[in-house]
Amino acid sequence: MARQGLIGRIGIAAVLVLTASACGTDSGSRPTPPQAALDGVGPITLATGKDTSGNLQNQIDGWNSAHPDQRVSLIELPENADAQRQQMVQNAQTRSDTYAVLNLDVIWTAEFAANQWVVQLPEAEFPLDKLLPATVETGTYFNRLYAVPTNSDGGLLYYRKDLLDAAGLTPPKTWAELSAACAKVLPANPGTSCYAGQFEKYEGLTVNFSEAVNSAGGAVVGPDGKPTLDTEAARKGLEFLVNGVKSGEIPGKARTFKEEEGRRAFQAGELVFHRQWPYQYLKAAATDGSSAVAGKFAVAPLPGLTGPGSSTLGGHNLAVSAFAKNKKTALEFIKYLSSEEQQRANLEKSSQAPTWAALYDDPALTARFPYLPTLKQSILGAKRRPAVVKYQEVSTAIQNAVYDAMGGKGDVGGALTGLQARLSELTK
Amino acid sequence: MTAVADPPRSRRRAGTGRLAAALVSPTLVVLGLVVAYPIVSAVRLAFYQRNDGVDPETGLLETGYRFVGIDNFADMVTGATAGRFLNALWNTTTFTVVGVAVEVVLGVLMALVMHHAFRGRALVRASILVPWAVPTAIAGLLWNWVFQADGVANDLLPGPAILWTTDGLQAWFAVIIADTWKTAPFIGLLVLAGLQVIPQEVYEAARLDGASPWRQFSSVTLPLVRPTLLVAVLFRILDTLRMFDLPYTLVGPGKDATDTVTVLAFEEAVRFGRYGPASAYAVFLFLYVAVVAFVFVRLLGADVVGARVGRNR
């Protein structure tokens, strides 16, 4: 008995010493973030939002049949972006190796990189020069590559071609032209409203506000990472939205629109102009009776204050979790998914906007997806949203200010002054 | 029954006490793990904040937490988001006061209807209870559809479309309506149980004395269901004070008119990863709920644990 007790005590002591030394090495290696070698080959997982395209499993099957020893299994997270991010963050906070490859929204890169939840990727191993430059930029943080863009997204102006043609108009390039077009078209079309975007209090509002500010020639956050909302351009941008609601050009109910509510309104023929992502194109063009505007609409670049506007950049990037075991396989799998061949197949099957620049000029593809040239123009001129670590707080502050201003609470100047102060605090 | 009067029994009781302690100890351990530990841990966390400095060279965040004393609590009332907190506290309180008041009136009416013997009684009872059986988050989504700009509510109401799910008084009302729909049956169910133990003779006596139906209700029914009703109301108050799902799914987070303290705590923790301030909100709410429950029990004498049953009979 005594001997067993002694052995037990020695064992415990040994464990304690080992744990202590393990802790020591851990905290010692923390401050230096060298570019860790990405090694480890074997099965991995891909964590992504619900695959609405239906093509992702095909792509994974293609990889798995070529790499039977490095199988990829798909982990589908909820469709809601906040819920996806929440699960990925929790997974990272518990240092779990469940997720290997993460499909990150473009706005999450800074947060995930700064928290060291994803590893730095070797730039030389990816054909970054073949991708649209704006999309590659969204995968970088402090000039280091943390994520590789696999699909992009840019806002388009959907417009009722039939109504504009009947009035002898071309799609508007400026906000003034947009108002003038509505003034001409609306009297003959009761029950139709002029313009809508995504104006519910959520990420979509941040997108639409940034877009308005960019399209007036301003920026929400300058190149130095500091907010620039005390400018005339920012004022004009917010005024476009606020005055639109005031004058009724933006219908009041657009303040409850997320993507889908707006899509239903456009498809029901309630809107002349609609700011929306490319995914609406195929749905609004459906001829199965679900869309009242099939064959009656077209897309154009977003309008701006004095000329064409500039979109907010959307899309998704693939990154490797810092806690994944088989990082080498993860890296190779990202190369596979971002290759021209896979992006082309994905575009054909799911109409998701690729990041491979050449695909936008492919005649076979542009014939099938007539919006591609407009979309390329939109993405090339698109601005990214603020690349700050506290992005969620920044976005929430923007939503608070803009939502209240559009609801007629306070004035534009006051909203921007308050927002400028709040963002300065969050980005200092 | 006292220990002094009966020594041998007392010894046996001490033995029984030890056995009882041994028997309940697993329960106590489980309670300690699922109740005590999270509370202590949340209170501890409320005094810490995550380091959030960014390395200017690499852009990497500092790691670890630092002790900040009562800063998290002070920030609640004086910091940049103090307005939001006070507003959320106001919403939490008004939802509770107005919501529970409306629910009590409707719940008692439902109970009276369910209590009466008439044809189809089982069907009425079942249908009144359906809303209560729907999970709150789902109910929130359903009502979100009802209250959409082109939803059922606006179709039924005359006049221009009301934008229920935007910010403002109408959003506050939307939550009250949905919450009442959802939980008045709960009060109804408990009150019904209370009604069913009232002996019929009491009413017969009242009728013999010539009491009007209203007098019967106010002087016989109400006093006799009062103990049950108070417990139901207390449960509802505690529930409503921590209301989260309805404002979150029906109207959406971030709306001044409907954000509750729990919504703020959720946002801080889950969206911003600021667990310290989130814990501070949660701890505050915990204390608020505790104080309200204490005052309620003391002032109205709600008999929650059945302590007075023996004495009354």
Side-chain angles (χ1 to χ4, degrees):
Chain A
M1 273 302 260
R3 249 179 76 185
Q4 269 182 1
L6 185 63
I7 294 172
R9 252 175 278 163
I10 291 172
I12 290 170
V15 169
L16 283 178
V17 170
L18 284 177
T19 326
S21 57
C23 288
T25 28
D26 187 36
S27 51
S29 66
R30 264 283 175 77
T32 46
Q35 191 179 339
L38 299 178
D39 41 36
V41 170
I44 58 166
T45 57
L46 166 64
T48 173
K50 186 175 155 47
D51 173 33
T52 48
S53 74
N55 187 46
L56 192 55
Q57 191 60 52
N58 292 340
Q59 292 181 296
I60 292 176
D61 290 345
W63 164 274
N64 284 347
S65 61
H67 305 82
D69 58 327
Q70 304 174 41
R71 292 184 65 83
V72 175
S73 34
L74 178 64
I75 298 181
E76 278 193 299
L77 303 176
E79 198 170 345
N80 175 299
D82 277 342
Q84 287 165 30
R85 177 182 155 276
Q86 183 187 332
Q87 293 208 15
M88 290 183 187
V89 168
Q90 280 169 358
N91 195 68
Q93 280 171 339
T94 56
R95 305 179 149 253
S96 153
D97 62 356
T98 312
Y99 303 162
V101 177
L102 302 174
N103 189 9
L104 301 180
D105 195 304
V106 287
I107 52 182
W108 303 338
T109 310
E111 184 189 12
F112 277 69
N115 280 293
Q116 303 184 53
W117 293 333
V118 294
V119 296
Q120 194 185 339
L121 300 175
E123 286 174 41
E125 293 194 35
F126 293 95
L128 297 180
D129 54 327
K130 295 281 199 331
L131 307 180
L132 295 171
T135 65
V136 176
E137 204 197 316
T138 65
T140 60
Y141 178 67
F142 274 71
N143 293 323
R144 298 166 191 215
L145 184 73
Y146 285 94
V148 177
T150 46
N151 66 68
S152 185
D153 235 344
L156 299 171
L157 182 72
Y158 287 73
Y159 66 95
R160 288 288 299 279
K161 194 167 172 15
D162 56 336
L163 301 184
L164 262 60
D165 284 351
L169 296 166
T170 52
K173 289 195 176 53
T174 65
W175 292 331
E177 285 177 35
L178 183 126
S179 299
C182 285
K184 247 181 161 180
V185 166
L186 288 182
N189 297 280
T192 311
S193 300
C194 179
Y195 175 79
Q198 291 76 43
F199 302 138
E200 170 65 288
K201 200 170 187 177
Y202 78 121
E203 184 60 31
L205 186 60
T206 306
V207 168
N208 278 260
F209 169 70
S210 315
E211 225 153 61
V213 172
N214 293 337
S215 296
V220 175
V221 170
D224 59 348
K226 300 290 170 223
T228 52
L229 290 172
D230 43 7
T231 59
E232 185 61 19
R235 189 186 176 82
K236 291 277 188 222
L238 185 55
E239 272 175 357
F240 165 64
L241 299 175
V242 171
N243 294 344
V245 176
K246 235 179 248 166
S247 69
E249 273 179 10
I250 295 176
K253 75 175 192 179
R255 295 186 57 237
T256 67
F257 282 4
K258 299 195 280 291
E259 277 85 356
E260 283 294 270
E261 286 85 356
R263 178 174 72 80
R264 281 199 293 274
F266 185 74
Q267 284 185 196
E270 292 172 18
L271 295 170
V272 181
F273 297 106
H274 188 207
R275 181 265 169 226
Q276 178 65 291
W277 305 104
Y279 87 99
Q280 178 170 277
Y281 196 94
L282 290 187
K283 304 218 175 200
T287 50
D288 57 0
S290 61
S291 169
V293 296
K296 297 179 184 166
F297 73 95
V299 292
L302 294 171
L305 179 64
T306 53
S310 79
S311 162
T312 298
L313 196 60
H316 281 84
N317 303 336
L318 294 179
V320 178
S321 162
F323 313 106
K325 286 212 179 70
N326 298 317
K327 296 198 178 73
K328 172 92 177 126
T329 302
L331 182 70
E332 293 301 323
F333 182 63
I334 292 179
K335 283 184 201 165
Y336 164 81
L337 276 188
S338 58
S339 67
E340 178 178 15
E341 186 192 353
Q342 286 304 316
Q343 291 209 27
R344 173 190 295 270
N346 202 39
L347 170 62
E348 282 174 348
K349 294 228 172 66
S350 71
S351 82
Q352 276 179 342
T355 55
W356 200 279
L359 294 177
Y360 287 90
D361 306 320
D362 185 308
L365 291 172
T366 51
R368 249 187 90 188
F369 304 100
Y371 60 86
L372 276 185
T374 316
L375 179 57
K376 183 184 184 186
Q377 214 179 321
S378 165
I379 292 175
L380 283 178
K383 301 278 190 321
R384 71 191 285 193
R385 278 162 275 171
V388 291
V389 180
K390 292 184 179 171
Y391 179 79
Q392 299 294 331
E393 282 168 81
V394 167
S395 180
T396 304
I398 292 175
Q399 290 164 33
N400 282 335
V402 177
Y403 192 80
D404 283 353
M406 286 179 76
K409 264 198 218 171
D411 64 332
V412 168
L416 288 176
T417 314
L419 185 54
Q420 171 78 11
R422 182 85 184 104
L423 294 195
S424 305
E425 203 177 301
L426 286 172
T427 53
K428 74 177 176 209
Chain B
M1 279 294 279
T2 52
V4 188
D6 196 354
R9 194 132 172 230
S10 143
R11 226 175 296 132
R12 216 183 80 206
R13 277 165 60 95
T16 321
R18 269 198 295 278
L19 178 64
L23 286 175
V24 298
S25 58
T27 316
L28 289 181
V29 169
V30 170
L31 283 180
L33 278 177
V34 302
V35 178
Y37 171 72
I39 291 176
V40 171
S41 160
V43 170
R44 195 194 75 92
L45 206 50
F47 295 95
Y48 284 80
Q49 254 176 33
R50 221 199 115 141
N51 295 326
D52 59 356
V54 174
D55 186 320
E57 287 286 303
T58 57
L60 300 182
L61 266 181
E62 289 171 22
T63 53
Y65 282 78
R66 64 178 188 280
F67 181 76
V68 293
I70 61 161
D71 276 10
N72 288 333
F73 292 96
D75 281 352
M76 273 161 51
V77 282
T78 58
T81 52
R84 283 196 73 198
F85 168 69
L86 295 175
N87 173 59
L89 185 57
W90 170 252
N91 287 340
T92 305
T93 311
T94 53
F95 276 143
T96 307
V97 172
V98 178
V100 174
V102 176
E103 284 155 25
V104 165
V105 173
L106 289 180
V108 170
L109 285 177
M110 283 179 182
L112 291 174
V113 170
M114 287 191 283
H115 185 52
H116 271 276
F118 56 88
R119 283 160 65 91
R121 181 163 82 152
L123 190 70
V124 171
R125 282 189 185 181
S127 54
I128 282 180
L129 287 179
V130 164
W132 189 55
V134 178
T136 315
I138 307 294
L141 292 176
L142 293 175
W143 282 98
N144 175 268
W145 278 86
V146 170
F147 284 127
Q148 279 193 353
D150 44 7
V152 180
N154 282 336
D155 273 358
L156 295 179
L157 292 172
I162 300 171
L163 300 172
W164 295 95
T165 59
T166 56
D167 211 345
L169 197 59
Q170 71 279 21
W172 183 89
F173 269 112
V175 172
I176 288 282
I177 292 170
D179 192 52
T180 307
W181 173 84
K182 173 96 182 63
T183 53
F186 171 78
I187 292 186
L189 186 69
L190 287 191
V191 172
L192 175 65
L195 286 177
Q196 286 178 333
V197 297
I198 301 177
Q200 203 55 44
E201 299 88 65
V202 191
Y203 289 103
E204 280 165 20
R207 271 199 296 277
L208 277 180
D209 290 342
S212 66
W214 170 250
R215 191 66 206 277
Q216 285 181 36
F217 174 74
S218 60
S219 300
V220 178
T221 313
L222 217 46
L224 287 175
V225 294
R226 193 184 115 113
T228 329
L229 187 59
L230 283 183
V231 172
V233 169
L234 179 62
F235 280 9
R236 281 304 308 144
I237 287 179
L238 302 190
D239 248 3
T240 320
L241 282 175
R242 52 179 183 74
M243 171 147 59
F244 172 77
D245 0 21
L246 268 185
Y248 192 85
T249 53
L250 170 54
V251 181
K255 306 286 173 70
D256 291 338
T258 58
D259 268 359
T260 59
V261 178
T262 19
V263 173
L264 290 198
F266 176 85
E267 192 173 62
E268 287 286 341
V270 175
R271 285 196 65 194
F272 304 158
R274 288 154 39 101
Y275 292 99
S279 292
Y281 284 132
V283 167
F284 170 83
L285 188 65
F286 178 78
L287 295 176
Y288 187 45
V289 169
V291 167
V292 168
F294 181 77
V295 168
F296 192 83
V297 170
R298 269 300 158 94
L299 283 188
L300 294 171
D303 180 16
V304 189
V305 289
R308 250 171 272 138
V309 171
R311 233 185 292 159
N312 288 348
R313 290 274 151 89

